[in-house]
Amino acid sequence: MRITVKQQVLLAPATILVLLILLLAFMQYSYWELSFKRREAKAIGTTFIAVAEADMAARRLHVLLRTMQHTGMAAPEDMALVADLYERMLASIGRIRPFGPLGESGHISHLVLLAENLNPADSPEIEKTAELFAQFRAELSALSNITQIYRNQLRLAQEQDIGQLVERTATVSMVVLVLAILLGLFISIYFSRRILNRVQMLSHSAARIADGKLELPPAPDRIRDELDTLAISINRMTKRLIRVVGTEKLLEGAEEERRRIAMDLHDQSLSDLSTILRGLQNLASDLADKPTREKTENLEQDLERAIANLRDIMNNLHPQTLDILGLGAAIEGHLEQHCCADELPEYHLYIDPKVSDLNLDRIKQLSLYRIVIEAIQNVIKHASASRYEVSLEVRENILVLSVEDNGQGILDENNRSNGRGLNNIRERAKAISAEVNWKQSRFSSGTRFELTLPCDM
Ligand SMILES: Nc1ncnc2c1ncn2[C@@H]1O[C@H](COP(=O)(O)OP(=O)(O)O)[C@@H](O)[C@H]1O
Ligand SMILES: [Mg+2]
């Protein structure tokens, strides 16, 4: 299963949070259970008071009615009191709550029936009234007893329940808290070790690569999170780096070999040819015979041309101006020497003064030199241009080398013949971590070759 690093970091606190929310829900449920029982106890208390009030009202009503029936007189204030007492009695009965056993017993409905029969407005007879009051008060007393018994039972049960509830809440809280702490600890230790181990491994690998020890770091065989993706990227990066360094070493070796050949040519062939030239010059001055002297002088000129050509070859093999004067001057020297003939396109060269501040090592300078020479050669050979611009600029620590012509434009890869030149440019650029591309020129037609190379100042 794929879990992101963010999820791995958040898993432990999220687990603790979920457990604490469950605990809170449990406590809320316990509180709700407790409050339900409290409501029941309150209903019993209300009923108890209502029964007592109904009994008191009934007793007074009975006394008053009996006195009135005995004396046979009913003063208006007595009648009002009777009505009021009856109303209070009915109101008290109305407050009786049908809790627990009272709900189904039928006591309440019987009581209501008896109360209706006791209505003083119906002016019942003395004996019947006494009997009805006796029944009514007996019913009230039964109700009171039931309420009292139930109240006692409930109080006892409630005491037990509250004890149990407190005990249960405490136990569950403890268990959940301990579980949350242990689980949180376990999850955070497990995932932090999993993350840390790999981060350490990656940082060791990166440090080794930075120190130049190009060993391939291990790559995981399946991707579980971003760290595995990073490990695979570092592995691929190292592979590419090893390849680039290999190419760079190869190029360095080739350049070294060219330098050695140039030195041999200079020290051996050039000095031999110079000796022969001096010999010929001496011979020509000693010769009295004119036609023979002219022939010797012609030979002398041929030899001078051969020596000049050899110098060109040597310079091409190992451009000494590059070592002595730097990249800009070497390019300028090449253009002046080889690209000034009338039949060749006109060129314009721009070298940014900041180029000389760049920290370019020898192999980079050589590669850039050879790339620009090949790009110029291509303009001359293939572009049919009348003009081209060679520019070397520094833009925000990036060296931008461009050769832009107004020729016929370069064909796309599928339609042009693939010579070694463009491949060499690409290989050399790759070896020094530069990027190259060919696009439409800013002239009305033609090609712009551009190379970009990030540099230190
Ligand atoms: N500046 C350019 N303008 C037009 N075509 C070009 C230019 N540069 C290269 N090309 C095309 O790219 C092809 C390959 O060039 P390259 O690899 O240098 O071969 P070559 O060794 O013949 O110079 C050329 O044959 C030419 O068609
Ligand atoms: Mg070429």
Side-chain angles (χ1 to χ4, degrees):
M1 193 174 58
R2 197 178 164 158
I3 312 175
T4 64
V5 172
K6 191 169 151 193
Q7 285 165 345
Q8 290 176 42
V9 170
L10 290 179
L11 200 59
T15 311
I16 295 177
L17 204 70
V18 168
L19 284 172
L20 289 183
I21 288 171
L22 285 177
L23 181 62
L24 269 179
F26 169 75
M27 283 170 126
Q28 183 63 36
Y29 169 74
S30 305
Y31 175 75
W32 174 77
E33 213 183 326
L34 200 69
S35 62
F36 178 74
K37 284 185 175 148
R38 277 208 189 117
R39 268 208 303 281
E40 204 174 30
K42 204 172 156 197
I44 294 171
T46 312
T47 304
F48 204 65
I49 294 166
V51 168
E53 279 177 6
D55 188 49
M56 208 153 69
R59 198 149 37 96
R60 285 185 63 195
L61 189 64
H62 187 199
V63 171
L64 206 63
L65 281 175
R66 211 170 45 201
T67 316
M68 280 165 65
Q69 281 164 347
H70 273 302
T71 53
M73 279 176 25
E77 60 270 23
D78 287 345
M79 287 307 290
L81 188 60
V82 164
D84 181 50
L85 281 173
Y86 184 68
E87 281 306 314
R88 269 161 53 190
M89 195 179 82
L90 282 184
S92 303
I93 293 170
R95 286 204 306 279
I96 294 173
R97 300 269 148 258
F99 63 85
L102 281 190
E104 297 104 42
S105 66
H107 279 288
I108 298 176
S109 47
H110 190 217
L111 203 69
V112 172
L113 207 71
L114 285 172
E116 278 166 6
N117 290 338
L118 277 171
N119 193 347
D122 299 343
S123 45
E125 299 143 25
I126 298 180
E127 293 80 27
K128 209 158 171 217
T129 312
E131 196 184 318
L132 276 172
F133 266 113
Q135 275 181 26
F136 183 71
R137 291 192 58 202
E139 197 61 61
L140 274 178
S141 147
L143 243 166
S144 168
N145 284 344
I146 291 172
T147 310
Q148 183 62 42
I149 291 165
Y150 193 65
R151 183 151 103 160
N152 289 345
Q153 277 175 358
L154 199 74
R155 192 180 292 146
L156 219 70
Q158 245 181 7
E159 272 167 19
Q160 271 177 2
D161 277 0
I162 289 173
Q164 272 175 5
L165 204 73
V166 170
E167 200 179 321
R168 195 176 68 187
T169 311
T171 316
V172 171
S173 306
M174 280 302 284
V175 169
V176 172
L177 280 178
V178 170
L179 196 73
I181 291 170
L182 288 180
L183 215 62
L185 268 177
F186 172 76
I187 293 174
S188 63
I189 288 173
Y190 173 75
F191 281 111
S192 57
R193 280 184 65 176
R194 205 168 97 133
I195 293 172
L196 266 178
N197 282 349
R198 284 178 302 155
V199 168
Q200 273 169 357
M201 216 167 70
L202 288 176
S203 111
H204 285 322
S205 303
R208 273 203 304 276
I209 295 166
D211 290 343
K213 294 178 195 133
L214 293 182
E215 301 153 16
L216 259 193
D221 26 312
R222 66 191 174 93
I223 297 178
R224 289 165 297 174
D225 55 23
E226 295 94 323
L227 285 178
D228 285 341
T229 317
L230 182 65
I232 289 175
S233 300
I234 291 186
N235 179 282
R236 283 179 45 210
M237 203 172 75
T238 317
K239 267 188 200 157
R240 290 192 67 176
L241 202 62
I242 290 172
R243 263 209 312 274
V244 167
V245 169
T247 323
E248 201 174 314
K249 288 226 166 77
L250 222 67
L251 274 181
E252 245 174 276
E255 286 302 340
E256 191 48 42
E257 190 60 18
R258 282 161 166 260
R259 199 175 68 87
R260 206 185 51 72
I261 295 171
M263 271 167 66
D264 286 354
L265 283 176
H266 177 269
D267 297 348
Q268 194 63 54
S269 312
L270 195 67
S271 81
D272 290 350
L273 289 177
S274 302
T275 315
I276 298 171
L277 181 65
R278 270 197 308 278
L280 269 179
Q281 281 163 347
N282 292 339
L283 186 69
S285 59
D286 292 348
L287 280 174
D289 176 26
K290 200 177 172 206
T292 323
R293 198 172 64 226
E294 273 175 8
K295 277 185 194 159
T296 319
E297 276 169 359
N298 283 346
L299 268 179
E300 221 177 89
Q301 278 165 10
D302 287 348
L303 195 56
E304 271 169 354
R305 264 198 302 280
I307 289 177
N309 284 343
L310 190 62
R311 280 191 192 281
D312 259 2
I313 292 172
M314 272 161 38
N315 195 49
N316 203 14
L317 279 172
H318 180 70
Q320 272 188 317
T321 32
L322 196 62
D323 289 346
I324 301 163
L325 299 173
L327 184 61
I331 296 173
E332 199 175 349
H334 175 85
L335 284 167
E336 277 169 9
Q337 248 186 319
H338 302 278
C339 306
C340 283
D342 288 343
E343 68 276 12
L344 294 180
E346 181 196 339
Y347 71 81
H348 177 260
L349 172 70
Y350 170 71
I351 310 268
D352 190 339
K354 279 188 263 172
V355 171
S356 51
D357 301 335
L358 288 180
N359 201 0
L360 290 172
D361 60 33
R362 198 171 143 262
I363 196 81
K364 274 190 185 148
Q365 294 206 28
L366 260 172
S367 302
L368 290 170
Y369 178 76
R370 297 215 185 282
I371 288 172
V372 78
I373 300 300
E374 173 59 24
I376 293 168
Q377 279 310 311
N378 278 351
V379 173
I380 295 171
K381 250 170 95 180
H382 307 294
S384 312
S386 62
R387 173 186 162 76
Y388 62 99
E389 285 181 10
V390 180
S391 137
L392 211 55
E393 284 177 81
V394 181
R395 290 187 212 145
E396 293 170 358
N397 284 10
I398 294 180
L399 174 72
V400 182
L401 184 160
S402 69
V403 178
E404 189 164 14
D405 63 61
N406 69 348
Q408 61 195 9
I410 190 166
L411 296 171
D412 60 55
E413 263 177 274
N414 304 325
N415 296 321
R416 67 173 178 245
S417 64
N418 254 336
R420 281 224 48 81
L422 298 189
N423 274 338
N424 284 353
I425 289 182
R426 284 200 195 90
E427 286 289 310
R428 287 185 197 279
K430 202 165 143 193
I432 57 171
S433 308
E435 280 184 16
V436 285
N437 64 62
W438 287 262
K439 52 189 174 190
Q440 181 125 37
S441 140
R442 285 172 300 180
F443 297 118
S444 53
S445 61
T447 313
R448 176 181 169 84
F449 161 73
E450 191 175 277
L451 172 147
T452 48
L453 173 69
C455 293
D456 309 329
M457 291 293 273

